[in-house]
Amino acid sequence: AQSVSQHNHHVILSEAASLELGCNYSYGGTVNLFWYVQYPGQHLQLLLKYFSGDPLVKGIKGFEAEFIKSKFSFNLRKPSVQWSDTAEYFCAVRNSGSARQLTFGSGTQLTVLP
Amino acid sequence: DADVTQTPRNRITKTGKRIMLECSQTKGHDRMYWYRQDPGLGLRLIYYSFDVKDINKGEISDGYSVSRQAQAKFSLSLESAIPNQTALYFCATGTGSRETQYFGPGTRLLVL
C-alpha cells in the first residue's frame, strides 16, 4: 500500500527563518502531489499542487515545493516564515493506480515564534 | 471553503447512540469524500463516492456507513458510536482528471 512520510512532526522557527518540510512517498509510478495547510481551528486549504511539468511548483503565501522523482520527495519550502504561518502542514499523494484516492502524511506542526 | 458545508460543527454523544454527520456542496463536483483526522495520524479516508450511485469503502470504513442522497449531499453515519470514534471529521469534494480536493470546515465529534 502507498504511504506518505512526514518525518518532522513539530518544527519551531523564529520569524524570518527559512523553512523546509520533508515529504516522501512510497509509490513508484505516476503521482499527483499536494501540500495542504490547516490553520488553528480551520479546515484544510490547498497550498500548492503538482501534476506534471516543471518540478518546482509555486503556491500561495510564498510557499514552493520541489518534486524530485528519484528521491520520491516533494519538500515544502519558504525562504522567510512569518508568525502567521503557524499551522499544521499536510503532504498528500495520489497515484495513478489508487482509484484516485489521496493518501495523507501524518502532518507537521509548524510554530513560528515572533 | 465556504462551498463545502458540514453540520453539525460540534457534537457530543454517548456510546451506543446513532448519529449522522452531513455534508453539502455547491461546487458542482461529482466526487465526495469523508475523512477522519486524529492527532499524529493525519487524515484517513473513511468512504468516498464518485457519483450518486457509486459508494466505496476507504481505509477505515468499519463502524461507519454513508449515503449519497444527491450529487450535492453526502452523509456519514455512526450506527452505534464508540469512544474511539472521537475525532475531527472532514468532508471533501473534487472532480476531473486533475482533481484537487476541497475540504469543509470539519465536525468535531466527542463520544463519551
Side-chain angles (χ1 to χ4, degrees), chain A residues 5 9-10 12 14 20 24 32 37 47 52-53 70 80-82 84 86 89-90 94-95 108 110 113:
Chain A
S5 297
H9 298 296
H10 194 179
I12 302 174
S14 297
E20 181 162 3
N24 290 91
N32 303 149
V37 61
L47 268 181
S52 63
S70 61
S80 177
V81 294
Q82 301 173 317
S84 58
T86 294
Y89 293 79
F90 293 94
R94 180 170 57 231
N95 71 61
T108 297
L110 171 66
L113 303 175

mmCIF file of all heavy atoms in Angstrom, chain A residues 5 9-10 12 14 20 24 32 37 47 52-53 70 80-82 84 86 89-90 94-95 108 110 113:
data_model
loop_
_atom_site.group_PDB
_atom_site.id
_atom_site.type_symbol
_atom_site.label_atom_id
_atom_site.label_comp_id
_atom_site.label_asym_id
_atom_site.label_seq_id
_atom_site.Cartn_x
_atom_site.Cartn_y
_atom_site.Cartn_z
ATOM 1 N N SER A 5 5.310 9.846 4.132
ATOM 2 C CA SER A 5 6.035 10.110 5.377
ATOM 3 C C SER A 5 6.385 11.581 5.510
ATOM 4 O O SER A 5 6.954 12.171 4.590
ATOM 5 C CB SER A 5 7.326 9.288 5.411
ATOM 6 O OG SER A 5 7.051 7.907 5.407
ATOM 7 N N HIS A 9 7.728 16.084 12.885
ATOM 8 C CA HIS A 9 6.399 16.158 13.476
ATOM 9 C C HIS A 9 6.101 17.546 14.021
ATOM 10 O O HIS A 9 4.954 17.996 13.984
ATOM 11 C CB HIS A 9 6.285 15.114 14.594
ATOM 12 C CG HIS A 9 6.437 13.713 14.092
ATOM 13 N ND1 HIS A 9 5.536 13.149 13.217
ATOM 14 C CD2 HIS A 9 7.382 12.785 14.286
ATOM 15 C CE1 HIS A 9 5.921 11.919 12.915
ATOM 16 N NE2 HIS A 9 7.041 11.674 13.543
ATOM 17 N N HIS A 10 7.136 18.200 14.553
ATOM 18 C CA HIS A 10 6.954 19.545 15.089
ATOM 19 C C HIS A 10 8.211 20.337 14.798
ATOM 20 O O HIS A 10 9.309 19.921 15.162
ATOM 21 C CB HIS A 10 6.683 19.494 16.598
ATOM 22 C CG HIS A 10 6.154 20.771 17.146
ATOM 23 N ND1 HIS A 10 5.822 20.930 18.469
ATOM 24 C CD2 HIS A 10 5.892 21.977 16.563
ATOM 25 C CE1 HIS A 10 5.367 22.167 18.677
ATOM 26 N NE2 HIS A 10 5.412 22.816 17.535
ATOM 27 N N ILE A 12 9.911 24.230 15.118
ATOM 28 C CA ILE A 12 9.799 25.547 15.748
ATOM 29 C C ILE A 12 10.856 26.450 15.140
ATOM 30 O O ILE A 12 12.041 26.109 15.127
ATOM 31 C CB ILE A 12 9.996 25.458 17.270
ATOM 32 C CG1 ILE A 12 8.969 24.504 17.880
ATOM 33 C CG2 ILE A 12 9.890 26.843 17.912
ATOM 34 C CD1 ILE A 12 9.178 24.231 19.357
ATOM 35 N N SER A 14 12.020 30.785 14.341
ATOM 36 C CA SER A 14 11.817 32.201 14.587
ATOM 37 C C SER A 14 11.412 32.891 13.298
ATOM 38 O O SER A 14 11.719 32.401 12.203
ATOM 39 C CB SER A 14 13.100 32.839 15.124
ATOM 40 O OG SER A 14 13.459 32.271 16.369
ATOM 41 N N GLU A 20 11.965 24.330 5.549
ATOM 42 C CA GLU A 20 11.852 23.204 4.638
ATOM 43 C C GLU A 20 11.214 22.052 5.385
ATOM 44 O O GLU A 20 11.732 21.601 6.406
ATOM 45 C CB GLU A 20 13.193 22.761 4.051
ATOM 46 C CG GLU A 20 13.036 21.588 3.070
ATOM 47 C CD GLU A 20 14.219 21.399 2.144
ATOM 48 O OE1 GLU A 20 15.200 22.145 2.280
ATOM 49 O OE2 GLU A 20 14.140 20.518 1.258
ATOM 50 N N ASN A 24 8.035 12.391 1.828
ATOM 51 C CA ASN A 24 8.457 11.273 0.977
ATOM 52 C C ASN A 24 7.294 10.302 0.816
ATOM 53 O O ASN A 24 6.507 10.115 1.737
ATOM 54 C CB ASN A 24 9.651 10.542 1.602
ATOM 55 C CG ASN A 24 10.904 11.369 1.554
ATOM 56 O OD1 ASN A 24 11.194 12.123 2.480
ATOM 57 N ND2 ASN A 24 11.645 11.250 0.466
ATOM 58 N N ASN A 32 0.337 12.408 -8.320
ATOM 59 C CA ASN A 32 -0.052 13.807 -8.153
ATOM 60 C C ASN A 32 0.278 14.142 -6.702
ATOM 61 O O ASN A 32 0.050 13.329 -5.793
ATOM 62 C CB ASN A 32 -1.546 14.019 -8.381
ATOM 63 C CG ASN A 32 -2.023 13.553 -9.751
ATOM 64 O OD1 ASN A 32 -3.161 13.130 -9.886
ATOM 65 N ND2 ASN A 32 -1.171 13.617 -10.758
ATOM 66 N N VAL A 37 -2.551 23.159 4.127
ATOM 67 C CA VAL A 37 -2.260 23.808 5.398
ATOM 68 C C VAL A 37 -3.544 23.887 6.216
ATOM 69 O O VAL A 37 -4.630 24.087 5.660
ATOM 70 C CB VAL A 37 -1.656 25.210 5.200
ATOM 71 C CG1 VAL A 37 -2.605 26.140 4.445
ATOM 72 C CG2 VAL A 37 -1.263 25.833 6.536
ATOM 73 N N LEU A 47 -2.272 24.571 -0.479
ATOM 74 C CA LEU A 47 -1.130 25.481 -0.632
ATOM 75 C C LEU A 47 -0.590 25.427 -2.055
ATOM 76 O O LEU A 47 -0.324 26.459 -2.661
ATOM 77 C CB LEU A 47 0.007 25.067 0.305
ATOM 78 C CG LEU A 47 0.105 25.683 1.688
ATOM 79 C CD1 LEU A 47 1.330 25.117 2.392
ATOM 80 C CD2 LEU A 47 0.176 27.195 1.624
ATOM 81 N N SER A 52 2.220 17.648 -13.319
ATOM 82 C CA SER A 52 3.233 17.323 -14.325
ATOM 83 C C SER A 52 3.975 18.606 -14.663
ATOM 84 O O SER A 52 3.624 19.688 -14.198
ATOM 85 C CB SER A 52 2.594 16.719 -15.579
ATOM 86 O OG SER A 52 1.735 17.666 -16.184
ATOM 87 N N GLY A 53 5.032 18.468 -15.486
ATOM 88 C CA GLY A 53 5.742 19.650 -15.947
ATOM 89 C C GLY A 53 6.851 20.070 -15.002
ATOM 90 O O GLY A 53 7.516 19.231 -14.397
ATOM 91 N N SER A 70 13.478 10.970 -8.360
ATOM 92 C CA SER A 70 14.461 9.966 -7.980
ATOM 93 C C SER A 70 14.530 9.751 -6.475
ATOM 94 O O SER A 70 14.967 8.692 -6.006
ATOM 95 C CB SER A 70 15.846 10.360 -8.493
ATOM 96 O OG SER A 70 16.251 11.591 -7.927
ATOM 97 N N SER A 80 11.350 32.731 4.074
ATOM 98 C CA SER A 80 11.284 33.556 5.280
ATOM 99 C C SER A 80 9.891 33.409 5.889
ATOM 100 O O SER A 80 8.916 33.919 5.332
ATOM 101 C CB SER A 80 11.569 35.023 4.922
ATOM 102 O OG SER A 80 11.439 35.858 6.062
ATOM 103 N N VAL A 81 9.809 32.727 7.011
ATOM 104 C CA VAL A 81 8.490 32.463 7.593
ATOM 105 C C VAL A 81 8.022 33.643 8.446
ATOM 106 O O VAL A 81 8.815 34.434 8.955
ATOM 107 C CB VAL A 81 8.494 31.175 8.439
ATOM 108 C CG1 VAL A 81 8.737 29.965 7.561
ATOM 109 C CG2 VAL A 81 9.504 31.253 9.592
ATOM 110 N N GLN A 82 6.702 33.691 8.597
ATOM 111 C CA GLN A 82 6.073 34.713 9.425
ATOM 112 C C GLN A 82 5.297 34.037 10.543
ATOM 113 O O GLN A 82 4.941 32.856 10.442
ATOM 114 C CB GLN A 82 5.111 35.554 8.571
ATOM 115 C CG GLN A 82 5.782 36.243 7.400
ATOM 116 C CD GLN A 82 4.773 36.916 6.496
ATOM 117 O OE1 GLN A 82 3.732 36.350 6.186
ATOM 118 N NE2 GLN A 82 5.085 38.126 6.058
ATOM 119 N N SER A 84 2.316 34.280 11.196
ATOM 120 C CA SER A 84 1.035 33.832 10.669
ATOM 121 C C SER A 84 1.128 32.485 9.927
ATOM 122 O O SER A 84 0.104 31.925 9.542
ATOM 123 C CB SER A 84 0.435 34.871 9.729
ATOM 124 O OG SER A 84 1.328 35.139 8.670
ATOM 125 N N THR A 86 2.198 29.878 11.359
ATOM 126 C CA THR A 86 1.974 28.854 12.374
ATOM 127 C C THR A 86 0.729 28.062 12.019
ATOM 128 O O THR A 86 -0.368 28.614 11.905
ATOM 129 C CB THR A 86 1.811 29.497 13.761
ATOM 130 O OG1 THR A 86 3.053 30.097 14.146
ATOM 131 C CG2 THR A 86 1.397 28.465 14.806
ATOM 132 N N TYR A 89 0.851 21.356 8.592
ATOM 133 C CA TYR A 89 1.042 21.188 7.157
ATOM 134 C C TYR A 89 0.982 19.705 6.807
ATOM 135 O O TYR A 89 1.643 18.877 7.448
ATOM 136 C CB TYR A 89 2.388 21.785 6.726
ATOM 137 C CG TYR A 89 2.422 23.291 6.878
ATOM 138 C CD1 TYR A 89 2.634 23.873 8.124
ATOM 139 C CD2 TYR A 89 2.191 24.120 5.785
ATOM 140 C CE1 TYR A 89 2.624 25.252 8.278
ATOM 141 C CE2 TYR A 89 2.185 25.494 5.925
ATOM 142 C CZ TYR A 89 2.393 26.055 7.176
ATOM 143 O OH TYR A 89 2.383 27.423 7.319
ATOM 144 N N PHE A 90 0.194 19.409 5.787
ATOM 145 C CA PHE A 90 -0.001 18.030 5.370
ATOM 146 C C PHE A 90 0.422 17.852 3.920
ATOM 147 O O PHE A 90 -0.005 18.618 3.048
ATOM 148 C CB PHE A 90 -1.465 17.625 5.497
ATOM 149 C CG PHE A 90 -1.973 17.556 6.903
ATOM 150 C CD1 PHE A 90 -2.610 18.657 7.470
ATOM 151 C CD2 PHE A 90 -1.817 16.415 7.662
ATOM 152 C CE1 PHE A 90 -3.080 18.603 8.787
ATOM 153 C CE2 PHE A 90 -2.284 16.351 8.973
ATOM 154 C CZ PHE A 90 -2.915 17.451 9.531
ATOM 155 N N ARG A 94 -1.496 11.204 -4.574
ATOM 156 C CA ARG A 94 -2.432 10.335 -5.270
ATOM 157 C C ARG A 94 -1.666 9.630 -6.377
ATOM 158 O O ARG A 94 -0.973 10.277 -7.156
ATOM 159 C CB ARG A 94 -3.592 11.125 -5.845
ATOM 160 C CG ARG A 94 -4.610 10.246 -6.597
ATOM 161 C CD ARG A 94 -5.863 11.010 -6.959
ATOM 162 N NE ARG A 94 -5.573 12.179 -7.754
ATOM 163 C CZ ARG A 94 -6.039 13.398 -7.462
ATOM 164 N NH1 ARG A 94 -6.780 13.597 -6.397
ATOM 165 N NH2 ARG A 94 -5.746 14.415 -8.246
ATOM 166 N N ASN A 95 -1.792 8.319 -6.441
ATOM 167 C CA ASN A 95 -1.097 7.614 -7.515
ATOM 168 C C ASN A 95 -2.077 7.136 -8.558
ATOM 169 O O ASN A 95 -3.277 7.012 -8.314
ATOM 170 C CB ASN A 95 -0.261 6.467 -6.949
ATOM 171 C CG ASN A 95 -1.103 5.315 -6.451
ATOM 172 O OD1 ASN A 95 -1.846 4.686 -7.196
ATOM 173 N ND2 ASN A 95 -0.973 5.024 -5.170
ATOM 174 N N THR A 108 2.893 17.981 9.853
ATOM 175 C CA THR A 108 3.971 18.659 10.578
ATOM 176 C C THR A 108 3.405 19.929 11.189
ATOM 177 O O THR A 108 2.859 20.769 10.472
ATOM 178 C CB THR A 108 5.136 19.029 9.644
ATOM 179 O OG1 THR A 108 5.715 17.847 9.118
ATOM 180 C CG2 THR A 108 6.206 19.815 10.413
ATOM 181 N N LEU A 110 3.978 23.400 12.530
ATOM 182 C CA LEU A 110 4.970 24.476 12.477
ATOM 183 C C LEU A 110 4.571 25.556 13.464
ATOM 184 O O LEU A 110 3.432 26.061 13.414
ATOM 185 C CB LEU A 110 5.054 25.063 11.074
ATOM 186 C CG LEU A 110 5.897 26.339 10.938
ATOM 187 C CD1 LEU A 110 7.365 26.032 11.224
ATOM 188 C CD2 LEU A 110 5.735 26.963 9.561
ATOM 189 N N LEU A 113 7.882 31.588 16.093
ATOM 190 C CA LEU A 113 7.976 32.477 17.245
ATOM 191 C C LEU A 113 8.194 33.915 16.778
ATOM 192 O O LEU A 113 9.014 34.153 15.902
ATOM 193 C CB LEU A 113 9.124 32.033 18.146
ATOM 194 C CG LEU A 113 9.032 30.585 18.641
ATOM 195 C CD1 LEU A 113 10.288 30.213 19.421
ATOM 196 C CD2 LEU A 113 7.789 30.406 19.489
#
